[in-house]
Amino acid sequence: MHPTTELYGRGVYRFLMSRQWVILTLIALLLIPTMIRLGIWQMHRYEERTARNQLVADALAADPVPVERLTAPGHTVTSGERYRTVTATGRFDAEDEVVVRRRTNSDDEVGYHVLTPFLLDDGKVLLVNRGWVPSGPTQTTFPKVPAPPAGEVTVQGRLMPSETTAASGIKNLSDLPDRQVMLINSDQQARRLGAEVLGGYIALTAPEPKGDTPELLGDPGKEDAALNYAYAVQWWLFSAAVPVGWVILARREARERAQAAEKQDSSEAEPAAV
């Protein structure tokens, strides 16, 4: 029998019971289920984002409907109603217009969103986000806001839910300068205006801006669901690599120990020099 084979037979893998290898093995056993769970979590995120992207795509592709078919005073806009294109006919109320602080445009410039009440023919109010304008000379200065169209007009926009601190992370600060707000919230605006305000608001998409008007908001971007899918596969590959790596390390150390033992046996077997 080959000497190396004899050494393996004499328990060359006994080193696996050493403190170092027991710790290494326990870490490997802990990493495998942890990585599998992380992969499952990333797959759930992929499915959630894919579902949200589909909801947005379906909403944007749906035909426009009158706004009061989807919302009413006190109504909470649902995820299935979000981004639906709605229409409304009425008049802009520029006197009660406010601006929403700390909003950015497509170039990440900080400014304001212009929130204008829109008086419907039945007396209710629809909040219309007319778009973005740059900041004034100071944060307390009301920015220059182009006037909305005068007279009766039909508007079109994407229906959005009211903003809350819990959902947006934006703090609803008090003691703000006059006609400035932090959140677009229909309940708060109903109290301010003393009127029936439809739940949520619309991000204006039509009529198209002409001349000096606020910069319309862009289309909602899609969430990168594919990235979560790639992360899930990555975690699962890592989990499979852990036992493979453990076996490779163990076999390498066993081979090195066997070779060292073989050399020691050979040197002991050589006759002493006379």
Side-chain angles (χ1 to χ4, degrees), residues 21-34:
W21 271 92
V22 168
I23 293 174
L24 182 63
T25 302
L26 290 174
I27 291 173
L29 292 175
L30 180 64
L31 284 176
I32 292 171
T34 300

Side-chain angles (χ1 to χ4, degrees), residues 8 29 35 38 44 66 71 74 84 94-97 113 133-134 170 175 181 187 205-206 210 213 236 239:
Y8 272 94
L29 292 175
M35 290 177 175
L38 286 171
H44 287 163
T71 185
R84 283 290 304 272
E95 291 185 2
D96 286 319
E97 191 170 65
H113 282 174
V133 294
I170 301 172
D175 299 326
V181 298
D187 290 337
T205 58
K210 294 179 181 179
T213 58
W236 289 335
S239 69

Side-chain angles (χ1 to χ4, degrees), residues 83-203:
Y83 297 120
R84 283 290 304 272
T85 300
V86 295
T87 60
T89 300
R91 298 171 183 270
F92 281 107
D93 176 14
E95 291 185 2
D96 286 319
E97 191 170 65
V98 296
V99 292
V100 191
R101 294 166 59 94
R102 300 179 186 175
R103 302 303 167 110
T104 57
N105 63 0
S106 57
D107 296 323
D108 288 331
E109 297 173 317
V110 178
Y112 300 88
H113 282 174
V114 180
L115 187 65
T116 310
F118 190 73
L119 308 179
L120 303 177
D121 294 338
D122 61 4
K124 297 185 181 68
V125 175
L126 169 66
L127 298 178
V128 177
N129 185 344
R130 294 202 290 128
W132 181 89
V133 294
S135 300
T138 67
Q139 288 190 348
T140 58
T141 303
F142 194 82
K144 181 181 178 182
V145 178
E152 188 172 83
V153 62
T154 297
V155 297
Q156 181 172 294
R158 295 188 296 271
L159 183 62
M160 303 293 293
S162 289
E163 296 176 345
T164 64
T165 297
S168 66
I170 301 172
K171 291 183 179 179
N172 193 20
L173 302 177
S174 59
D175 299 326
L176 293 174
D178 187 39
R179 299 176 64 195
Q180 295 189 25
V181 298
M182 296 299 300
L183 297 167
I184 306 178
N185 186 284
S186 55
D187 290 337
Q188 293 174 7
Q189 292 303 309
R191 291 192 294 270
R192 181 180 74 89
L193 297 169
E196 288 190 293
V197 177
L198 302 185
Y201 67 97
I202 69 167

